[in-house]
Amino acid sequence: MCADPDVMRYMPKTMTREESSQQVRGFISHWEARGFGLWAVEEKASGAFIGRIGLMVHDDWPEGEHKTEVGWMLDRPYWGRGLATEGALASVGYGFEELGLKRIISITLPENAASRRVMEKAGLTYRGRTRWRGNGVVWYAAERREWGAGGSC
Ligand SMILES: CC(C)(COP(=O)(O)OP(=O)(O)OC[C@H]1O[C@@H](n2cnc3c(N)ncnc32)[C@H](O)[C@@H]1OP(=O)(O)O)[C@@H](O)C(=O)NCCC(=O)NCCS
């Protein structure tokens, strides 16, 4: 997945197996430090591993005190079936209902239209542009006090 240029189009670059392993070690450390993190995503029908979706804290996020992001990445054959939205809604619900977070953010490059659409479909709203880790990014957020109020979830 991380070696596929389509999947990695809006990431800094494609990754080698070793770079991917190192990244997964970072995800595991996040779980150990915080008790939550990115989940592996499996297709229900086949049990196949198809990507990752979940919550990550970015201590270096510059826009306010709420630094927990919902994020997603799926392998190319599984795009366009609503799976990222399903996982995003589950992650945001978990963050508010189980972890008690007040705000959950999501960050992407402005040109990543599919990701921005997932943010909207998961109930996040546009908050603005900023610079983060050397890139101009857009960010969205959802508030716990508004979660589930009048929406489809
Ligand atoms: C972003 C990603 C997770 C979306 O996964 P997905 O399962 O296809 O998402 P969904 O099917 O739930 O929803 C995608 C939405 O984006 C829309 N979309 C897809 N490509 C689009 C494009 N180029 N322009 C505008 N909208 C687009 C779809 O039409 C759909 O919206 P709709 O339901 O209103 O039609 C997937 O494309 C991916 O893994 N991309 C590579 C990794 C990545 O960029 N991750 C995000 C990093 S911030």
Side-chain angles (χ1 to χ4, degrees), residues 61 107-110 126 128-132 135-139:
W61 175 246
I107 310 157
T108 194
L109 295 181
Y126 179 71
R129 291 180 179 245
T130 191
R131 281 201 78 73
W132 184 56
N135 293 304
V137 297
V138 291
W139 67 286

Side-chain angles (χ1 to χ4, degrees), residues 50 58 65 70 83 85 103-104 120 128 146:
I50 65 167
H58 302 303
E65 63 184 295
V70 59
L83 297 176
T85 302
R103 170 185 282 185
I104 295 172
E120 289 168 358
E146 293 164 5

Side-chain angles (χ1 to χ4, degrees), residues 4-79:
D4 180 337
D6 278 346
V7 175
M8 301 302 279
R9 185 166 161 202
Y10 302 110
M11 306 293 163
K13 63 178 198 60
T14 56
M15 292 162 64
T16 63
R17 180 170 292 273
E18 178 47 40
E19 288 167 335
S20 297
S21 298
Q22 196 179 338
Q23 189 182 50
V24 170
R25 286 194 287 275
F27 297 157
I28 292 169
S29 299
H30 188 287
W31 271 97
E32 289 170 350
R34 316 257 183 189
F36 67 93
L38 286 169
W39 285 292
V41 181
E42 293 180 351
E43 187 187 38
K44 273 188 188 167
S46 65
F49 167 72
I50 65 167
R52 62 176 195 241
I53 299 178
L55 301 169
M56 284 276 285
V57 180
H58 302 303
D59 289 320
D60 60 345
W61 175 246
E63 300 289 333
E65 63 184 295
H66 302 285
K67 300 175 191 290
T68 305
E69 185 199 21
V70 59
W72 33 76
M73 176 186 282
L74 295 179
D75 206 359
R76 181 75 188 85
Y78 301 94
W79 293 3

